[in-house]
Amino acid sequence: MHLTEEQLNEYLDEATTERAQIEAHLSSCEECAARLSTLQNVFAELDSLPELELTKSLAAPFTLHPSLPAQLPKFLTLTAFLQAAVALVALIVAVPFASALLPQIELPSFTKLFFQIQTQWTVWLDQLSTFNLPTFQPINLPTLEMSSLLFTLAGVSVLWILGNGLLLRNQMK
Ligand SMILES: [Zn+2]
């Protein structure tokens, strides 16, 4: 059995409990002696490398600026509150606006949608219980109504982000 890399490393680090055994093996095994001297050369070379100073501290961007308070500044809380208020107003404003822009589209009736899904579910359950292969009956999803809802949500999101930027910019000054 030759010496393992771990044994050789521990021997070099003088952190081994089997020093005598290792030395006995090294004196009788050229291969392991050669491996040991290779390792020694590598470590010697590493030690001889100059310690290079980093031109820029990598830790600095991650270190909290000491002047920053530990708690969230008050204006951030205020900003979040104002955001919520603005978003609520925007939502209320945007809903009739969206339906006025698309007058032929009614806002989705969730009750209607719910009953459609429930009905479809019942049909599927019936088909499963009678062991028939379910025939695909597409739910008449109100896709146009859904797109109207998405349109409204997208508008609110944009307003939210814009409001966020404006509020932060003003309060940072
Ligand atoms: Zn050996």
Side-chain angles (χ1 to χ4, degrees), residues 46-66:
L46 283 176
D47 281 342
S48 71
L49 288 175
E51 295 263 331
L52 289 176
E53 289 271 329
L54 290 175
T55 53
K56 198 180 164 189
S57 169
L58 294 175
F62 303 104
T63 315
L64 265 184
H65 200 274

Side-chain angles (χ1 to χ4, degrees), residues 1-3 25 29 31-32 35:
M1 280 290 283
H2 288 298
L3 298 171
H25 182 87
C29 177
E31 199 181 316
C32 285
R35 283 166 62 209

Side-chain angles (χ1 to χ4, degrees), residues 2-12 16 18 21-22:
H2 288 298
L3 298 171
T4 65
E5 290 296 314
E6 194 182 356
Q7 280 174 311
L8 288 175
N9 276 307
E10 281 174 358
Y11 178 75
L12 279 178
T16 181
E18 18 182 56
Q21 284 168 262
I22 290 172

Side-chain angles (χ1 to χ4, degrees), residues 34-102:
R35 283 166 62 209
L36 181 71
S37 74
T38 309
L39 263 183
Q40 271 172 323
N41 286 338
V42 167
F43 284 125
E45 210 144 315
L46 283 176
D47 281 342
S48 71
L49 288 175
E51 295 263 331
L52 289 176
E53 289 271 329
L54 290 175
T55 53
K56 198 180 164 189
S57 169
L58 294 175
F62 303 104
T63 315
L64 265 184
H65 200 274
S67 68
L68 280 180
Q71 282 188 327
L72 265 185
K74 233 176 198 168
F75 74 81
L76 273 183
T77 323
L78 182 67
T79 301
F81 178 77
L82 285 175
Q83 260 183 7
V86 167
L88 190 65
V89 172
L91 184 67
I92 292 166
V93 170
V95 167
F97 180 68
S99 40
L101 259 185
L102 309 159

Side-chain angles (χ1 to χ4, degrees), residues 83 86-87 90 94 150-166:
Q83 260 183 7
V86 167
L150 288 176
F151 176 81
T152 307
L153 285 177
V156 171
S157 303
V158 169
L159 281 173
W160 183 297
I161 291 162
L162 285 178
N164 183 21
L166 283 174

Side-chain angles (χ1 to χ4, degrees), residues 119-120 123-124 127 134-140:
T119 308
Q120 190 64 40
V123 169
W124 278 333
Q127 285 168 340
T135 51
F136 183 64
Q137 296 182 353
I139 309 175
N140 188 21

